[in-house]
Amino acid sequence: FDPVKHQIMSYELKHLYTALTRARNNVIIYDEDEVRRAPMLHYLSRRTLCDILQPGASLSDFAVKASPEDWRRQGHVMIQRNLYQQAEKCFQQSGDRHLELQAA
């Protein structure tokens, strides 16, 4: 048992847990080291929990475009937090000129 390696592993697992539980749609994990990534890749692949991208593949397939309603909803959240400039941008993205002007 190596307490230093244990502490590092705990730290990294906490970050992984946060990324996995906070993601809305996808989590992208990148690791150049084929040997070190093999156990986790094997685990995720066997359970069909991941897609494997080849080098140079486009990540745009994983992007999810926000709808006007998503932008409008986020604008209201920004208003509640008194973040008026951000709300204005959200309403602008939503196409709601009336709410955009109210936030300005």
Side-chain angles (χ1 to χ4, degrees), residues 53-72:
L53 298 178
Q54 298 305 317
S58 172
L59 297 178
S60 63
D61 295 339
F62 291 95
V64 177
K65 186 171 174 65
S67 70
E69 185 54 36
D70 292 332
W71 282 108
R72 192 174 298 106

Side-chain angles (χ1 to χ4, degrees), residues 17 34 37 39 51 62 82 97 101:
Y17 173 83
E34 289 185 32
R37 74 175 175 228
D51 293 318
F62 291 95
N82 297 321
R97 183 76 173 137
L101 292 172

